[in-house]
Amino acid sequence: MTTADVDSERPGVDSESPGVDSERPDPRTTGDFEVYRDDWGIPHLKAGDALALARAQGHNAALDRAWQLETERHRVLGTTAAYLGAEALDWDRFARRARLADTARRCYERLTPETAAWVRAYVDGVNAGLAEGAARTPEFAAAGIAPGRWEPWTPLGVWLSTHILFAGFPTKLWREEVARRLGDGRATLFATDGPGTSGSNGWLLTGPRTTTGAPVIAGDPHRFIEDPGVYQQIRLACPAFDVVGLAVPGVPGIAHFGHAGGVAWAITNAMADYQDLYRERLRRTADGGVEALGPDGWYRVHAHTETVDVAGGEAETVEVVETDRGPVIIGDVHDEAPGDEAPDAPVISLRYPPRVTGDLGFDVLPALLRARTVADLDTALDGWVEPVNVVLAADTTGATLHRVAGHVPVRPHENRLRVVPAHDPAYAWREGAEPTPRTEVDTATGTAVMANERGLAASLGIEFAPPHRADRIRELLGTPPGAGARGTAGPPWSSADMAAVHTDTRLASSRQLLSLLAWAPDLGPDAERLRDRLLRWDRHMDADSTDATLYSRLRADVVHRLAGHPALRPVTGDADPWRSPAYPPLFRPWLAAVPRIGYALETLLTVGLLPYEERLAIVAASAEAVAANHDAPLPWGEVHRVAPWQALPGATPEEVWPGLAGDHDCVLSTSSVPGITDLFARGPAARYVWDLARREESLWVVPFGASGVPGSAHHRDQSELWASGRLAPVTTDWNLLHRTEESTITMTTTPEPTASTGPTVPALRPAVHEQKVEGFGVVRLVPVDPAADAGLLHGWVTQERARFWGMADHTREQVQEIYEFVDSLSTHHAYLALRDGVPAALFQTYEPDADPVGECYDVQPGDFGIHLLIAPAEGEGAVKGYTDALLTAFVGYVFSDPAHLRVVVEPDARNEKALARMVRVGFELGPEIEKPEKTARLAFLSRTVALGLV
């Protein structure tokens, strides 16, 4: 690279470059940030320091991915059903019961001050950009929602919710059912790559193996394909670092795949087991509490209830219970403790490292950005927590790294296999964590490969991907399995050559089925022709191949015949574990027998389950059945189409999703579900090539485009590249980028709403008070905007339950006029109380001597009046302690002003529930008073008593 090339890559040195305003203040000194985009719309962000850059990244995510951010925020809180309906309820139940939001808060509170400030800066950027981003995105209008405010801990929640199922703990439920129905010896009969757990590839070539003499790292993370995509191509540049990579929208920095100029890194899922399931025994106490059986007997556990709102349906109450092992995610509390054996009604808790340690590893993220060498990166990764990954890295000196990073708890091997008894101390976690394996990159072959196989991380897990992808990558790179055994190596590779590996479609796992087909006895003429055709097939799942489609038909039929075999009948058909009401529907993908059989087909056709003659007979019967279907097979790419997850499915019903080559065990791992569908929901969520010689020779692509905004020029412009296996260049020369108008001057906090911008949604308004209430959430008080909130308030005050509010017959316009009048007064104020960003109550304050109530009693110095209306969605105690929790926050706000000595309330004298509630929390009842609209009962709460509440 020439000096000119180096200078053009440096942030903040282009003030005289073409197309750049030379009079614009230098972001290195002003705290501004600037946004550039390449021809694919990929953002390149430049700022004067790391905090300004974090704000820039958050702001950009809000503009490009507002709907995605809103969806992720709701997933963290367990509130997706409130706008997506009953289909989203299963996730919300799990998120609440697993306490994802509370865990994220805990982990945030343990961050170093520097990391916490960095994360807050990102959140400030998100909140500043959300209103504009939402205005660009039609999904908000379609769902009928507005964006909510991000809390400082929300990015940690996004990371946690994205990866909580990554280690596949529900597989333990499947093994438990297999062992119970087929015998303990069969628990791992289906032990192979399972749904949603793996498929990623990564490889490293050392300098002697490349055309430039410097290392190259390439690969492709395989995950559920989402629209918008789970990875965002981005560049983050400030004087301290300049990194390109794949970011997770909603999370600051670049965690998994990055190129910092001097060092580059990539990961795959290590397939480690680091989450445990415990079989609990719970019982209800006489006072409504919950006890659990532990090693030392029965003890009281944390329990509270929460309400999950459901669009178009009834709200649902969820009881959240947490034992000493962890949150209970399966089963309910019984009035009496069940016996030890209750297989049809298990109560199971989840123990996962961040919940135990309060550490999600976020302190690693800024350290990765600052890394200049492999040694820097290695040191940073010592603090990584989850997901547990295999890492490949290299730097410009030629140094390399091949290691596992993450926290795997020390506990008995049985914990990894099955659900274990909670009351037995033998299954408790020990202190510390398992050592993370590492190895040297083989200098003889100059390659390292990671593909979820049973390799470097074998000591940390139970189930791994078959070795086919890893073996095939080594073969393609010129290194046979058993790397270095013959000291051979292929020709030098360039960055552009990596696409040939990314897109390889050879299906090695077809060998056993085709071998049985070759020896299948007594085939009819049509079946013989089918056999001859498939035995001539090159075993590549190419998009234009009709033989690949024919093979898929045969495979599917074999899967269903195995599912119907008597040997598997205890776990199939009506006995299929996914039908069991004992387990939440969320876990059905791990419990369904047919997909399990499909993924384990190679194993099931090889050893252990059926005699050889029976396997031959099954394959022969399937060949006859498939041959009898005379419909000509379509090319594989026409039936093997991506089926991405969308929060609002059908939002673009006219869209035809692309078809791809590949299949589950190909390097191009586009994972159909054998026996269920040829469509695929998992595949390469991105592809990358990091060139350590010239970063500008690096390449990348994502499934759809850089923008998550429908109609944007960059919403789908990478789809054809991705489907065809091509990649886009990584542009690093600032002179070749396009500066945009998104650059923002010195944005340090979420800006105040102004008249020119119009009213904001409640969650985006600055709060006058914010308080975390343990076991309840974060309560924020924001001013009512009469015009923006009239519809919400009208819906509250006109319900029968709010009859004491006196507005039952008011129109929306009348409600707006009332709150416009309140807003005009300096002595009266109206606030919305938000619980974790969701409107939960109307809270009003007033000075009694400036209100008609002051004429009805002897006002004392320091008196301060309040009104409270709980949102109907939580109505009448649907959540235990709900109103008391809100009162705690309200009292905290009122008495934060030392001038306030006594709270005054005046509920309707007929509102016995409200009066009883006031007495319960410490109010002293006063006399009844006559007001024009009602007979009221005064009640007073002194500052002295209130201090005991807060």
Side-chain angles (χ1 to χ4, degrees):
M1 181 182 293
T2 66
T3 303
D5 291 331
V6 173
D7 287 343
S8 67
E9 279 205 3
R10 290 175 181 164
V13 300
D14 61 334
S15 59
E16 297 181 1
S17 301
V20 178
D21 183 359
S22 61
E23 296 184 2
R24 181 172 174 77
D26 187 339
R28 291 173 295 177
T29 59
T30 63
D32 306 352
F33 68 77
E34 296 177 293
V35 180
Y36 294 76
R37 293 186 185 268
D38 66 11
D39 292 341
W40 297 95
I42 296 167
H44 294 241
L45 310 179
K46 179 191 298 187
D49 57 52
L51 291 182
L53 188 59
R55 286 191 287 272
Q57 187 182 7
H59 187 262
N60 171 262
L63 295 186
D64 283 5
R65 303 293 185 96
W67 175 247
Q68 185 175 15
L69 295 190
E70 182 67 6
T71 299
E72 294 300 333
R73 187 184 67 85
H74 279 284
R75 282 176 56 82
V76 173
L77 297 174
T79 54
T80 57
Y83 66 101
L84 296 179
E87 290 186 0
L89 188 55
D90 297 328
W91 171 264
D92 287 355
R93 290 192 193 104
F94 171 73
R96 303 293 187 97
R97 299 186 76 178
R99 309 200 72 184
L100 299 186
D102 187 69
T103 303
R105 292 189 195 100
R106 286 188 184 184
C107 294
Y108 173 79
E109 290 167 0
R110 291 197 56 179
L111 293 176
T112 65
E114 296 78 14
T115 302
W118 180 69
V119 174
R120 285 197 305 272
Y122 179 89
V123 169
D124 283 340
V126 169
N127 285 327
L130 271 177
E132 182 180 350
R136 300 178 177 184
T137 309
E139 287 95 338
F140 285 92
I145 62 171
R149 182 182 179 85
W150 277 48
E151 303 296 338
W153 49 265
T154 303
L156 285 80
V158 171
W159 188 260
L160 184 61
S161 68
T162 299
H163 296 104
I164 188 68
L165 297 175
F166 216 62
F169 69 79
T171 297
K172 295 178 184 181
L173 303 175
W174 167 255
R175 293 194 208 112
E176 195 73 14
E177 291 300 318
V178 171
R180 186 163 68 90
R181 299 159 187 240
L182 299 180
D184 287 344
R186 298 289 196 188
T188 58
L189 175 65
F190 302 86
T192 186
D193 188 11
T197 58
S198 74
S200 300
N201 305 302
W203 59 93
L204 180 153
L205 291 171
T206 60
R209 295 294 317 282
T210 71
T211 56
T212 64
V216 169
I217 299 173
D220 44 9
H222 286 63
R223 306 174 69 133
F224 281 106
I225 303 297
E226 300 180 14
D227 178 31
V230 69
Y231 288 117
Q232 179 195 27
Q233 299 149 297
I234 200 167
R235 181 184 188 182
L236 304 175
C238 68
F241 53 80
D242 183 346
V243 185
V244 297
L246 303 172
V248 174
V251 177
I254 295 171
H256 281 160
F257 309 95
H259 192 327
V263 62
W265 67 94
I267 63 93
T268 58
N269 183 358
M271 306 295 286
D273 183 280
Y274 50 89
Q275 301 163 328
D276 284 349
L277 296 178
Y278 286 88
R279 187 180 300 104
E280 300 278 1
R281 293 182 63 188
L282 306 178
R283 68 185 182 188
R284 186 80 62 190
T285 61
D287 62 356
V290 178
E291 290 183 338
L293 181 63
D296 299 319
W298 292 95
Y299 65 99
R300 196 173 184 93
V301 301
H302 172 92
H304 71 273
T305 57
E306 299 183 9
T307 296
V308 181
D309 294 331
V310 183
E314 294 293 326
E316 178 175 307
T317 299
V318 174
E319 185 170 29
V320 178
V321 176
E322 185 166 12
T323 73
D324 285 352
R325 268 69 57 188
V328 173
I329 60 168
I330 296 172
D332 299 313
V333 182
H334 304 280
D335 290 337
E336 296 183 2
D340 287 330
E341 297 299 327
D344 296 326
V347 178
I348 297 173
S349 61
L350 170 66
R351 189 168 182 83
Y352 57 103
R355 186 72 190 161
V356 176
T357 65
D359 184 9
L360 197 54
F362 258 48
D363 288 318
V364 172
L365 299 184
L368 292 179
L369 296 176
R370 295 192 298 268
R372 302 294 180 92
T373 66
V374 157
D376 295 339
L377 197 79
D378 193 17
T379 300
L381 289 171
D382 287 339
W384 189 266
V385 175
E386 72 168 53
V388 179
N389 296 322
V390 176
V391 183
L392 286 176
D395 63 28
T396 51
T397 70
T400 59
L401 177 69
H402 189 185
R403 63 166 291 180
V404 175
H407 182 102
V408 178
V410 179
R411 78 278 204 216
H413 181 74
E414 185 71 12
N415 291 42
R416 299 182 184 179
L417 282 170
R418 305 270 294 274
V419 182
V420 295
H423 63 274
D424 190 336
Y427 299 103
W429 285 13
R430 291 21 168 189
E431 289 293 326
E434 297 283 1
T436 51
R438 61 176 60 231
T439 188
E440 299 294 327
V441 174
D442 190 339
T443 55
T445 63
T447 62
V449 176
M450 52 182 184
N452 317 121
E453 78 280 19
R454 189 180 297 274
L456 187 61
S459 64
L460 303 177
I462 297 294
E463 298 192 16
F464 296 84
H468 305 306
R469 287 184 287 108
D471 289 348
R472 179 62 173 166
I473 293 170
R474 293 188 184 99
E475 178 185 350
L476 291 168
L477 295 176
T479 305
R486 285 181 277 168
T488 60
W493 290 77
S494 70
S495 294
D497 293 333
M498 295 296 106
V501 182
H502 281 131
T503 58
D504 186 76
T505 62
R506 182 165 178 82
L507 188 65
S509 60
S510 64
R511 181 190 61 82
Q512 184 62 20
L513 175 52
L514 293 177
S515 177
L516 290 170
L517 178 63
W519 293 98
D522 304 322
L523 295 181
D526 289 341
E528 284 191 350
R529 282 191 289 273
L530 170 71
R531 175 174 62 187
D532 293 344
R533 179 175 176 179
L534 286 179
L535 293 181
R536 289 194 302 270
W537 173 48
D538 63 4
R539 303 186 188 182
H540 282 263
M541 301 295 284
D542 292 331
D544 60 357
S545 172
T546 55
D547 290 345
T549 306
L550 202 58
Y551 172 78
S552 178
R553 288 182 182 178
L554 177 66
R555 178 176 61 182
D557 195 88
V558 171
V559 167
H560 284 285
R561 290 180 188 276
L562 280 173
H565 193 279
L568 291 179
R569 199 162 291 157
V571 293
T572 60
D574 291 340
D576 196 322
W578 81 267
R579 299 179 185 275
S580 171
Y583 300 115
L586 182 69
F587 302 136
R588 284 178 180 169
W590 287 267
L591 290 165
V594 172
R596 285 284 179 183
I597 293 169
Y599 287 123
L601 184 61
E602 185 181 14
T603 300
L604 297 176
L605 291 178
T606 303
V607 293
L609 180 66
L610 301 178
Y612 179 68
E613 292 75 15
E614 289 192 46
R615 286 178 263 150
L616 280 178
I618 286 175
V619 174
S622 291
E624 296 287 1
V626 172
N629 178 1
H630 296 292
D631 294 337
L634 294 170
W636 179 235
E638 293 190 26
V639 298
H640 187 58
R641 295 184 179 275
V642 64
W645 181 86
Q646 296 174 295
L648 284 179
T652 53
E654 73 287 350
E655 188 158 13
V656 177
W657 297 106
L660 267 71
D663 199 36
H664 190 64
D665 287 322
C666 301
V667 177
L668 179 51
S669 182
T670 49
S671 301
S672 60
V673 186
I676 300 294
T677 181
D678 286 332
L679 300 176
F680 69 94
R682 287 195 298 131
R687 298 191 191 98
Y688 60 89
V689 181
W690 301 145
D691 191 321
L692 270 299
R694 292 174 58 87
R695 189 167 66 162
E696 63 271 25
E697 297 297 323
S698 298
L699 301 159
W700 53 7
V701 73
V702 293
F704 304 122
S707 174
V709 180
S712 163
H714 303 296
H715 187 225
R716 294 285 188 260
D717 61 337
Q718 294 187 51
S719 291
E720 198 277 330
L721 283 183
W722 176 73
S724 63
R726 294 178 292 143
L727 300 103
V730 174
T731 303
T732 57
D733 187 340
W734 295 99
N735 298 314
L736 300 179
L737 302 172
H738 316 289
R739 188 174 179 277
T740 76
E741 296 304 315
E742 302 162 42
S743 303
T744 299
I745 300 292
T746 319
M747 181 183 64
T748 57
T749 59
T750 303
E752 299 278 351
T754 65
S756 62
T757 61
T760 62
V761 295
L764 294 181
R765 297 174 200 157
V768 299
H769 180 70
E770 182 172 317
Q771 182 173 338
K772 178 183 177 183
V773 181
E774 189 63 36
F776 180 77
V778 175
V779 178
R780 301 177 67 251
L781 299 181
V782 301
V784 164
D785 184 316
D789 299 334
L792 174 69
L793 297 179
H794 180 259
W796 290 0
V797 301
T798 56
Q799 293 201 4
E800 168 62 21
R801 61 183 302 280
R803 61 188 180 281
F804 299 118
W805 208 253
M807 299 187 194
D809 59 350
H810 282 40
T811 65
R812 183 186 185 282
E813 290 72 23
Q814 289 173 320
V815 171
Q816 179 174 336
E817 289 175 2
I818 288 172
Y819 285 98
E820 285 175 343
F821 173 71
V822 171
D823 194 43
S824 71
L825 302 175
S826 60
T827 55
H828 291 62
H829 302 282
Y831 305 98
L832 284 176
L834 309 181
R835 177 197 183 201
D836 289 330
V838 179
L842 173 62
F843 179 61
Q844 295 180 209
T845 66
Y846 62 91
E847 296 177 15
D849 57 2
D851 188 88
V853 75
E855 302 174 3
C856 302
Y857 84 105
D858 185 17
V859 178
Q860 301 296 311
D863 279 0
F864 195 69
I866 67 171
H867 300 297
L868 172 63
L869 177 64
I870 303 296
E874 309 294 353
E876 303 302 326
V879 177
K880 185 178 179 181
Y882 191 91
T883 301
D884 291 353
L886 285 174
L887 278 172
T888 299
F890 299 151
V891 168
Y893 168 59
V894 170
F895 288 114
S896 64
D897 186 339
H900 298 155
L901 303 179
R902 188 172 67 160
V903 167
V904 180
V905 295
E906 29 138 348
D908 192 297
R910 298 167 296 170
N911 193 345
E912 296 178 357
K913 286 186 176 180
L915 291 170
R917 184 185 302 123
M918 296 301 175
V919 171
R920 187 173 68 248
V921 299
F923 279 80
E924 180 181 344
L925 295 181
E928 290 188 358
I929 60 174
E930 294 297 329
K931 298 185 67 180
E933 72 278 10
K934 66 180 180 181
T935 299
R937 182 75 181 268
L938 290 172
F940 305 95
L941 179 68
S942 70
R943 184 181 188 87
T944 302
V945 173
L947 290 178
L949 297 177
V950 297

